[in-house]
Amino acid sequence: MIVFRDPDEIPADFGPSAVAIGKFDGVHAGHRAVIARLNERAAASGARAAAVTFDRNPLAILRPDRCPENVVTVERKLELLGELGLDATLVLTFDEELAAKSAEDFVVDILVGALQVSTVLVGEDFRFGSGGAGTPALLRELGPRHGFDVEVVDEVYLPGSSRRVSSTWIRELLIEGDVSGASRVLGRNPDVRGVVVHGLKRGRELGFPTANLSPIVDAFVPADGVYAGWLVDHDTGIRHPSAISVGTNPTFDDVLERQVEAHVLGETGLDLYGHDVTVEFVERLRGMVAFEGMEKLAEQMADDVTVAARVLADEA
């Protein structure tokens, strides 16, 4: 997938293109349905399939007091979009200048001028342009004038649910620690990516060494607690079954920042320091609690490992 960071980077002979526009935060099941439909439309017409998205949530500029935390970073979003068969994604810098651009200028300059759009796909509630004046109705009005058609993609609902799939729902589930619920809405396991760094090595002292992720990770971290999941080592390509801890280790009360750490099941001598890893969350086992000493904590960790192994055996 080609990534353009500015409309001026798009070659003059890029189009025609079928384009889906949106924030695509999390690249969840609803987004995946839009991209799947986009690919169908592009293939049927011989056009390129392209997504248009933003380098931040527009609310960060328009209403910073109401702007939620992103489910994933821009780079992770692009990685996920790149797995869906798109030809290209245009990442627009959402600043005051873009916020002030009229909806019609957005269509003429970016969709028509840069991408030579033949089909536009949007959700019913998508808004764009200054003051949010751009709507699906306006796109339909402008389409015949500029040579493109418009398809409004139906919202996606999980089987048995009356709530539409959304990034807001995913954030709520992750805040509750419901990673299995979040995985259904996302269409994949929620995960975070970072570099393994040195920690206090308490896990090793207890017989359960852990790979501690750097404080800077690339996605929304779920609630404090213990989880069953996977550690994917990008340096080796190996996916390890793991028991994962998120929190500040209240038993010792000396960890100042929330940490994500993973104990690889059945491994005590694995050296992962400096490795680039992704931690995938499958199921929450329990909340984070303080124990009366290391012996009680070690007993609980042994039980966590047993339960995690059983959960992951069922998933495999």
Side-chain angles (χ1 to χ4, degrees), residues 9 16 80 90 108 139 147 159 193 199 208 235 248 300 306:
E9 296 177 2
L80 292 166
L90 169 61
V108 172
L139 286 171
R193 185 169 181 168
F208 301 95
D235 288 28
T248 58
Q300 181 60 60
T306 299

Side-chain angles (χ1 to χ4, degrees), residues 14-92:
F14 177 78
S17 65
V19 174
I21 316 170
K23 294 192 292 291
F24 299 114
D25 186 23
V27 192
H28 55 56
H31 299 142
R32 290 165 186 266
V34 171
I35 299 301
R37 179 59 180 155
L38 173 69
N39 287 335
E40 289 176 4
R41 294 293 304 267
S45 63
R48 292 180 185 258
V52 175
T53 190
F54 309 100
D55 70 334
R56 71 201 80 182
N57 189 319
L59 288 177
I61 298 296
L62 302 173
R63 290 294 303 272
D65 57 313
R66 294 180 54 190
C67 184
E69 184 177 347
N70 290 331
V71 175
V72 296
T73 62
V74 173
E75 294 310 315
R76 177 60 171 147
K77 173 167 65 175
L78 290 172
E79 181 181 325
L80 292 166
L81 287 172
E83 297 171 358
L84 302 181
L86 289 168
D87 293 302
T89 292
L90 169 61
V91 183
L92 296 172

Side-chain angles (χ1 to χ4, degrees), residues 101-151:
K101 197 177 192 71
S102 74
E104 185 160 1
D105 283 347
F106 182 97
V107 170
V108 172
D109 295 345
I110 297 172
L111 300 185
V112 177
L115 289 165
Q116 301 154 52
V117 67
S118 58
T119 300
V120 179
L121 281 77
V122 292
E124 182 60 55
D125 62 351
F126 181 71
R127 300 293 180 268
F128 65 98
S130 178
T135 64
L138 178 64
L139 286 171
R140 288 194 179 103
E141 179 184 326
L142 296 174
R145 207 182 305 169
H146 297 286
F148 64 85
D149 60 9
V150 178
E151 180 173 338

